[in-house]
Amino acid sequence: MRALAERVGVTPMALYRHVKDKAALLDGMVGRLLSALVPSDAVDGQAWDERLRVLAHACRRVTQHHPWAAHLLFSRPAVTPDAVRAVDIIYTALIEAGVPESDVPRLERLISTFVIGFAASEASGRFTPGTLDPRGRRGQLPDSELPGHSGLGPWLDLPVDLTAEFEADLDDLRQLVMAVARRRD
Amino acid sequence: MRALAERVGVTPMALYRHVKDKAALLDGMVGRLLSALVPSDAVDGQAWDERLRVLAHACRRVTQHHPWAAHLLFSRPAVTPDAVRAVDIIYTALIEAGVPESDVPRLERLISTFVIGFAASEASGRFTPGTLDPRGRRGQLPDSELPGHSGLGPWLDLPVDLTAEFEADLDDLRQLVMAVARRRD
DNA sequence: ACCTGAACACCGTTCAAGT
DNA sequence: ACCTGAACACCGTTCAAGT
């Protein structure tokens, strides 16, 4: 609050005339981000999987530009109008994909949890532990205790292209959605 | 730090003899939680999918008992020995499932991101917005703007059993893993 | 070795007072 | 209406000083 007040060129207490709380301020900031997240024109006339893809990439783009917001997307549920609109896009896409209605809310939570989770992990550096030393993570333990790591060998030393990985993940989730749609009752 | 010092019955500065930082303290706490996460005996002799299931449920159980830890699992990468051990369990399971080695690290990140994301969402209440009013979320917008919500109707008003949902999600991810294993090159 | 007192540089927030 | 000054009740952390 004090830093924001200085940026605005005003005393900290002046802010409380315009915002109730620090929490309310953060909620408002998240709301602004979410309103920019859904470019409804870029979604019209596209197939359901393409609409989900655009929405997911928009979510990742937001957290790349505003890393501080990544964790807030987890803490605050989708109650603001823009957040509800984003959820509705996913609902509509899943219905169009042929997912049984009883599975739609669950799959929406599965997809949004992964997408926000990926964005938050990337923003907080969870995916890039040893940017300097790629083998840093298993330095502490002997290879005999890590059969999985030693079995993978060179694949662990490659630098990861997170954009390509996100794309591959979304494609796998697309197939998951189609599999659920296929087993409709 | 001050609250912890009071609980221990000591002055705040005494803590700095035993821990470098507040961040180091939190890292240590997460480390302790992760060491309890992997009961390696409950994992021996089981099939790969059962081992992943046990690990996922253990992760969710930890964040249910210690909600404060949920966000830390996202911020800090898997560098501690216990965290690396958990990752190795997933690697080994995916290899045993027949996933191509080049896809194993990506699928590990996909699975762990979802599992931690689910746990964090549950701990922070993201999945239960209107515990009182289940229709609260779309009160702000007209149904005409939310075709997905209005199309789903009664399915949105049911209370969610998060344990059953988590189980169903894990089963869908199991099928995703098998699908990736099937298309090995 | 381990702990303490005092101090520094911060927070978010309230409340009466200013214009 | 909108902003300010002073103050309250907090933080994490440093540093010299104690035993």
Side-chain angles (χ1 to χ4, degrees):
Chain A
M1 301 298 279
R2 291 176 122 103
L4 168 64
E6 194 176 13
R7 284 260 296 221
V8 183
V10 93
T11 201
M13 310 76 197
L15 302 176
Y16 288 85
R17 241 357 98 157
H18 305 90
V19 89
K20 178 192 162 280
D21 232 6
K22 188 186 179 180
L25 176 68
L26 291 173
D27 283 348
M29 292 167 78
V30 173
R32 287 285 290 256
L33 288 184
L34 286 178
S35 71
L37 190 146
V38 193
S40 56
D41 55 335
V43 141
D44 283 352
Q46 298 283 351
W48 67 269
D49 52 347
E50 183 61 19
R51 296 205 302 274
L52 287 188
R53 216 182 67 90
V54 167
L55 185 62
H57 278 96
C59 180
R60 178 166 176 248
R61 183 171 37 80
V62 164
T63 59
Q64 279 179 328
H65 286 64
H66 311 281
W68 55 265
H71 284 294
L72 291 178
L73 292 180
F74 265 127
S75 40
R76 289 292 147 200
V79 288
T80 75
D82 291 297
V84 176
R85 232 185 298 267
V87 170
D88 199 77
I89 290 179
I90 304 180
Y91 282 167
T92 311
L94 293 176
I95 293 171
E96 191 175 316
V99 171
E101 293 189 352
S102 58
D103 276 323
V104 166
R106 177 178 72 82
L107 278 194
E108 184 278 325
R109 284 186 283 267
L110 192 157
I111 293 171
S112 64
T113 296
F114 169 75
V115 169
I116 302 176
F118 188 100
S121 297
E122 186 181 11
S124 65
R126 189 176 80 91
F127 287 154
T128 51
T131 312
L132 304 171
D133 174 20
R135 313 182 142 253
R137 41 191 347 195
R138 66 181 184 285
Q140 312 241 28
L141 289 171
D143 270 23
S144 59
E145 282 194 49
L146 300 176
H149 283 74
S150 54
L152 286 174
W155 296 110
L156 294 179
D157 297 333
L158 297 176
V160 282
D161 176 350
L162 287 178
T163 300
E165 171 152 338
F166 190 56
E167 200 76 57
D169 289 345
L170 292 180
D171 205 66
D172 280 346
L173 287 180
R174 185 175 59 84
Q175 289 187 229
L176 187 153
V177 168
M178 289 167 63
V180 174
R182 226 174 287 126
R183 64 165 186 255
R184 81 181 307 148
D185 23 331
Chain B
M1 300 301 278
R2 291 175 120 103
L4 167 63
E6 193 176 14
R7 285 259 295 220
V8 183
V10 91
T11 201
M13 310 76 198
L15 302 175
Y16 288 85
R17 236 7 92 158
H18 305 91
V19 89
K20 179 191 161 280
D21 234 3
K22 186 185 181 181
L25 176 68
L26 291 174
D27 283 348
M29 294 168 77
V30 173
R32 287 286 289 257
L33 288 184
L34 286 178
S35 71
L37 189 145
V38 192
S40 55
D41 54 338
V43 143
D44 283 354
Q46 299 281 351
W48 68 268
D49 52 347
E50 183 60 19
R51 298 205 302 274
L52 286 188
R53 217 182 66 91
V54 167
L55 185 62
H57 277 96
C59 179
R60 177 165 176 249
R61 182 171 38 78
V62 164
T63 58
Q64 280 177 327
H65 286 64
H66 311 281
W68 55 265
H71 284 296
L72 291 179
L73 292 179
F74 264 127
S75 39
R76 289 291 147 202
V79 288
T80 76
D82 291 296
V84 176
R85 234 185 298 268
V87 171
D88 199 77
I89 290 178
I90 305 180
Y91 282 168
T92 312
L94 293 177
I95 293 171
E96 191 175 317
V99 171
E101 293 188 351
S102 60
D103 275 324
V104 167
R106 177 178 71 83
L107 278 195
E108 185 278 326
R109 284 186 282 269
L110 191 157
I111 293 171
S112 64
T113 296
F114 169 75
V115 169
I116 301 176
F118 189 99
S121 297
E122 185 181 10
S124 65
R126 189 175 80 90
F127 287 154
T128 52
T131 312
L132 304 172
D133 174 20
R135 313 182 143 256
R137 39 194 347 198
R138 66 182 185 284
Q140 312 241 27
L141 288 171
D143 270 23
S144 59
E145 281 195 47
L146 300 175
H149 283 76
S150 54
L152 286 173
W155 296 109
L156 293 180
D157 297 333
L158 297 176
V160 282
D161 176 351
L162 288 178
T163 300
E165 170 150 340
F166 191 55
E167 201 75 58
D169 289 345
L170 292 179
D171 205 67
D172 279 346
L173 287 180
R174 186 175 59 83
Q175 290 187 230
L176 187 153
V177 169
M178 289 167 63
V180 174
R182 224 174 289 126
R183 65 163 186 255
R184 80 180 307 150
D185 23 330

